[in-house]
Amino acid sequence: MRGEYQQLVDEISAALGAPATLEDRDFGLIAFGAHGGDDDTDLLMDPVRTRSILQRRSTAAVRAWFEAFGIARAQAPLRIPPDPAAGVFTGRICLPVRHRGVVLGYVWLLDDEHLAALDLSVPFADPRLAQAMETAARIGALLAAEARAGAELGELLRDLLTARRPAREAARDALREALGSAADGPLALLAVVPWQLTGETDGEALAAQSGVAAMCAVPGVLPDGSAALAALIRLRALASPAPAMAAADRLLHSPRAGGPGLAAAGLATPRRGLAELPEAWTEALAAARAAAAERRLGPVAEWERIGAYRVLTALPPDRTADPAVRPLLARTHTELARTAEVFLDCAGQAGRAAAALGIHRQTLYYRLNRVEQLTGLDLDDGEDRLLLHLSLKASRLRLG
């Protein structure tokens, strides 16, 4: 299907004599076409288009700037002026990609000398523009069909991950049939947290997610009741998770992710085939929660690399803090709690801990003494250290 999008974008580029770019409605790049020999110059002169092509997405600020011109409501082509302050050095013509009244994406054309004389006031009077809009409608139909297929795959994936037998087994069989040979190949399961539920199907985003076999929102799986996104990624080999990492990066920049600095992703141990996906979902979700709680692990954490969080994420979400540690977790003692955690992270080595905290060693000793007074724990005792260390890590999961 990727080739079909590229062919249609090339048709628009040829019809209007200008380079065209196709993005989904979340501004994820689907395809782009070059026309003529000066496209490299256009790329250098317009950093927004450069970023879209090279990084396959636009920033939230760029999205907001373009949406302010009403592109999501447009029924006909729009001309958008340049704005160097926004990084848009060349104006745009936006062709809305719609199907049955719903906007599914946008075709962008650099409004250079090739298009300067194009009259948009009567949009379909010019046969070139009429042809381009007819092609955009074909793109819309293709996106809609892919969204429907993606929604069906997403429902099967959700049932496979969350339903009870025999619904889970039926979903596995149906998903295997739908995916064909890919169902028996190397696969990775990715979780993105938190994920906003909007009433729209996550299958609509599949067009911009190369390598994603299926994805769905799974509501109510986080301790606070929030949803997560599950994405099934095709891999070239079990030991090569690069496609999953690339997909995670794109999904973390989706408007439906939790937002900059808030969303995190977790990657399960890759599997071959669909049989162990429910177990993989547990791993992926745990890794995502760990990445959200411990930023040094993220923004994309692998299950095999989250250490003690493999145990901590399996604890009941409604557990309460250990009575001995509870006083240390009060907001008034944030600095003491951080000091204790860094000290224990450094295996009790005072010099390393003091350097990591940027404090004098005597200040470290003073704070650790206060920790012992608050908790009644002996930091020279191995079991007391373990209790304190795990309790501090577990508190991050509740906050995250």
Side-chain angles (χ1 to χ4, degrees):
M1 189 166 287
R2 192 73 36 184
E4 294 182 66
Y5 289 122
Q6 187 62 59
Q7 181 179 349
L8 293 171
V9 169
D10 288 342
E11 285 184 20
I12 293 176
S13 293
L16 294 176
T21 302
L22 172 63
E23 295 179 333
D24 65 21
R25 63 180 168 192
D26 288 338
F27 288 68
L29 181 68
I30 299 174
F32 67 93
H35 181 84
D38 59 351
D39 194 51
D40 290 342
T41 301
D42 289 330
L43 282 172
L44 292 172
M45 293 299 293
D46 198 278
V48 168
R49 185 168 189 261
T50 303
R51 179 187 175 96
S52 175
I53 292 175
L54 297 183
Q55 300 188 18
R56 305 195 69 81
R57 61 175 178 266
S58 296
T59 66
V62 168
R63 289 197 299 266
W65 189 82
F66 280 119
E67 287 172 347
F69 289 91
I71 59 174
R73 302 182 301 275
Q75 303 289 330
L78 289 176
R79 180 168 264 125
I80 299 175
D83 184 352
V88 182
F89 295 147
T90 304
R92 299 291 199 279
I93 290 178
C94 175
L95 309 184
V97 176
R98 309 182 76 91
H99 183 72
R100 295 183 177 177
V102 177
V103 64
L104 297 176
Y106 309 100
V107 173
W108 300 98
L109 300 118
L110 294 178
D111 193 11
D112 55 16
E113 65 274 8
H114 298 293
L115 301 179
L118 199 63
D119 184 5
L120 302 189
S121 61
V122 187
F124 302 106
D126 189 311
R128 297 175 300 162
L129 197 54
Q131 179 183 345
M133 286 301 293
E134 188 275 332
T135 304
R138 289 159 57 198
I139 293 174
L142 198 61
L143 285 170
E146 188 170 2
R148 289 192 296 272
E152 293 173 2
L153 290 173
E155 290 173 5
L156 292 175
L157 178 61
R158 186 184 299 110
D159 286 346
L160 174 55
L161 300 182
T162 63
R164 298 180 181 275
R165 294 180 179 176
R168 174 180 290 181
E169 294 173 350
R172 181 185 295 121
D173 292 342
L175 190 58
R176 180 178 289 112
E177 181 178 355
L179 295 180
S181 60
D184 297 317
L187 298 166
L189 195 61
L190 182 73
V192 179
V193 301
W195 192 257
Q196 299 174 17
L197 298 175
T198 64
E200 300 168 357
T201 63
D202 293 289
E204 294 171 0
L206 277 175
Q209 298 298 328
S210 178
V212 177
M215 62 184 184
C216 63
V218 185
V221 291
L222 299 182
D224 64 358
S226 299
L229 179 78
L232 184 63
I233 317 295
R234 295 183 291 269
L235 301 179
R236 289 181 286 273
L238 287 176
S240 301
M245 290 296 188
D249 181 62
R250 292 194 297 272
L251 289 167
L252 284 171
H253 286 84
S254 167
R256 294 179 62 181
L262 298 177
L267 183 63
T269 302
R271 264 83 167 173
R272 188 172 294 279
L274 306 176
E276 298 180 9
L277 282 193
E279 294 81 3
W281 176 235
T282 299
E283 293 179 4
L285 197 57
R289 290 180 59 204
E294 188 85 67
R295 287 298 165 179
R296 64 178 176 82
L297 297 174
V300 184
E302 298 177 69
W303 161 256
E304 297 173 346
R305 299 178 183 273
I306 61 173
Y309 284 106
R310 293 203 294 267
V311 175
L312 295 174
T313 51
L315 296 175
D318 57 351
R319 71 193 181 283
T320 57
D322 184 87
V325 183
R326 199 175 299 149
L328 184 61
L329 299 179
R331 290 185 178 181
T332 52
H333 298 308
T334 301
E335 187 175 64
L336 290 179
R338 178 171 177 268
T339 298
E341 186 175 4
V342 171
F343 174 72
L344 295 169
D345 285 345
C346 293
Q349 297 181 29
R352 284 178 55 200
L357 291 164
I359 59 177
H360 193 277
R361 189 177 297 201
Q362 287 304 120
T363 304
L364 174 70
Y365 290 142
Y366 170 77
R367 291 182 185 177
L368 294 178
N369 183 58
R370 289 281 293 123
V371 168
E372 290 182 324
Q373 292 174 0
L374 278 170
T375 63
L377 299 175
D378 181 2
L379 293 183
D380 289 328
D381 181 86
E383 290 193 5
D384 281 4
R385 282 194 184 190
L386 179 62
L387 172 62
L388 178 58
H389 206 182
L390 290 179
S391 296
L392 290 170
K393 296 297 185 188
S395 70
R396 286 186 178 275
L397 286 174
R398 286 196 298 274
L399 295 174

